Amino acid sequence: MTASNRHLTVRSPWLKKLLRYRFYYLLALPGLIYLLVFKYTPMFGLVIAFKDYDPYSGVAGIFSAPWVGLANFEKFFDSYYFGRIMSNTLIISLLKLLIGFPAPILFALMLNEVQGRRFKKVVQTISYIPHFISWVIVAALLQTLLTTDNGLVNVVLNRLGLRSISFMTSPKYFRSILVISDVWKSIGFGSIVYLAAIAGVDPSQYEAAAIDGAGRFKRIWYITLPSISSVVVIMLIFRVGGLLDAGFEQIFLTYSPSVYKVADIIDTFVYRVGLVEHDYSYSVAVSFFKSVVAAVLLLTTNFISKRISGEGIW
């Protein structure tokens, strides 16, 4: 047997699988192309974080720009904005994690206990709708509801004899608005994965527990939660890995200079520096720093989870 024939013999199982599942691969192809074009190809541009890149020099400038090493990173760490945007990013992300992460779990647990099938479907459908509403629309709704010029919330406050509050421009309330609107938008759609995990629990366990006299709360605590714990752990790892993603689109559409000190995060800072001030090398360095921290958080959380519970994403 020649070398070429041996090569074909070794490769034939892969070719058979490719032909057998060709329609599945075709379905996955658009997603793979999207990842390749918009996620992996742009990583080539990360090199300008270590250069003094002139945006007017085009693609050729990526190669010709002078090398500056870690100067852009040092500029970021020494800047006045470093402490502010890091603290804002972490505070907003932690608030969303502490409140927004358990919210869909609790919602799924409560929805699972609903006996009326039709009522359950109606509640599920209504709770899913906010996920499909653009943040542009949500921001407009917030402005309409919370404005001091006949906003619904302030109208109610005035009817109660209280003064109007400028919620959207008040540093005292702005973070709360971000967290509440984020939970409202994500709680329904986020509960899908937990409802699917709950649906996989063996019903005989609930029947046996009910025979033994266990109430609903005990069945949830001792059967449902342990059964979906692996899913909860995996979702938590992903959330911690994205801890520095405080929600660019939401904040960008709702914040203003009056709340910069409590709402300016890494992503909004990168937007201003890169697209407004055209300092691409500096903005890429800041974004690269964020990506490295996110990778470290993801790996660390996965390692700790594997050591404690034996569950992880790999």
Side-chain angles (χ1 to χ4, degrees):
M1 184 182 292
T2 63
S4 60
N5 289 334
R6 286 199 302 269
H7 178 70
L8 290 175
T9 303
V10 173
R11 297 290 295 177
S12 59
W14 294 97
L15 293 175
K16 288 180 179 179
K17 287 184 178 181
L18 182 62
L19 291 173
R20 178 181 297 178
Y21 302 110
R22 58 187 180 277
F23 295 112
Y24 295 104
Y25 288 120
L26 286 175
L27 286 173
L29 187 60
L32 294 175
I33 293 175
Y34 170 81
L35 289 174
L36 180 64
V37 174
F38 294 103
K39 300 297 182 180
Y40 287 96
T41 303
M43 292 179 68
F44 169 75
L46 289 175
V47 69
I48 68 175
F50 305 93
K51 291 187 172 186
D52 185 13
Y53 173 70
D54 181 4
Y56 299 103
S57 62
V59 178
I62 298 176
F63 303 96
S64 60
W67 188 270
V68 296
L70 299 176
N72 290 312
F73 296 91
E74 294 174 356
K75 178 182 177 182
F76 175 55
F77 297 145
D78 294 336
S79 70
Y80 164 77
Y81 299 101
F82 176 75
R84 186 178 77 176
I85 66 174
M86 284 301 297
S87 61
N88 288 338
T89 302
L90 291 173
I91 290 172
I92 294 172
S93 295
L94 286 172
L95 287 173
K96 289 183 176 181
L97 178 65
L98 293 174
I99 300 175
F101 179 74
I105 301 174
L106 294 174
F107 181 72
L109 292 173
M110 291 188 293
L111 199 59
N112 185 61
E113 296 298 318
V114 175
Q115 299 298 322
R117 188 173 180 180
R118 181 174 298 179
F119 177 74
K120 184 177 181 178
K121 286 185 176 180
V122 171
V123 173
Q124 280 183 286
T125 303
I126 294 174
S127 66
Y128 297 162
I129 291 174
H131 173 78
F132 300 99
I133 300 176
S134 168
W135 273 117
V136 176
I137 306 300
V138 175
L141 288 173
L142 289 174
Q143 292 287 355
T144 303
L145 290 171
L146 301 176
T147 182
T148 55
D149 185 16
N150 294 323
L152 179 61
V153 175
N154 279 305
V155 168
V156 173
L157 291 177
N158 294 335
R159 292 291 177 86
L160 296 175
L162 302 175
R163 297 174 59 184
S164 297
I165 300 174
S166 182
F167 291 99
M168 301 301 292
T169 59
S170 173
K172 180 180 179 181
Y173 299 104
F174 191 77
R175 286 175 180 168
S176 300
I177 294 170
L178 293 178
V179 175
I180 293 171
S181 59
D182 181 74
V183 172
W184 170 78
K185 194 173 186 299
S186 62
I187 186 172
F189 195 80
S191 66
I192 293 177
V193 65
Y194 302 110
L195 286 169
I198 293 172
V201 180
D202 187 359
S204 62
Q205 296 186 47
Y206 294 110
E207 296 172 1
I211 293 173
D212 291 338
R216 286 191 176 185
F217 179 77
K218 287 188 176 180
R219 292 199 295 268
I220 292 172
W221 186 259
Y222 292 106
I223 298 176
T224 308
L225 285 176
S227 299
I228 66 172
S229 60
S230 59
V231 176
V232 173
V233 168
I234 291 173
M235 298 303 292
L236 178 62
I237 292 173
F238 283 124
R239 283 296 294 267
V240 173
L243 195 63
L244 295 185
D245 289 323
F248 167 74
E249 187 177 4
Q250 178 196 22
I251 295 175
F252 179 73
L253 292 169
T254 54
Y255 82 153
S256 61
S258 60
V259 293
Y260 272 3
K261 64 180 181 181
V262 297
D264 194 19
I265 59 173
I266 293 177
D267 290 331
T268 55
F269 179 75
V270 168
Y271 168 81
R272 288 200 310 277
V273 171
L275 296 182
V276 178
E277 301 177 11
H278 303 291
D279 193 348
Y280 285 10
S281 292
Y282 186 29
S283 63
V284 171
V286 177
S287 185
F288 189 34
F289 163 76
K290 173 193 166 184
S291 300
V292 172
V293 174
V296 172
L297 287 172
L298 181 65
L299 294 171
T300 303
T301 308
N302 186 71
F303 174 77
I304 295 173
S305 176
K306 292 282 287 186
R307 293 295 298 270
I308 296 176
S309 64
E311 300 289 347
I313 55 177
W314 64 79

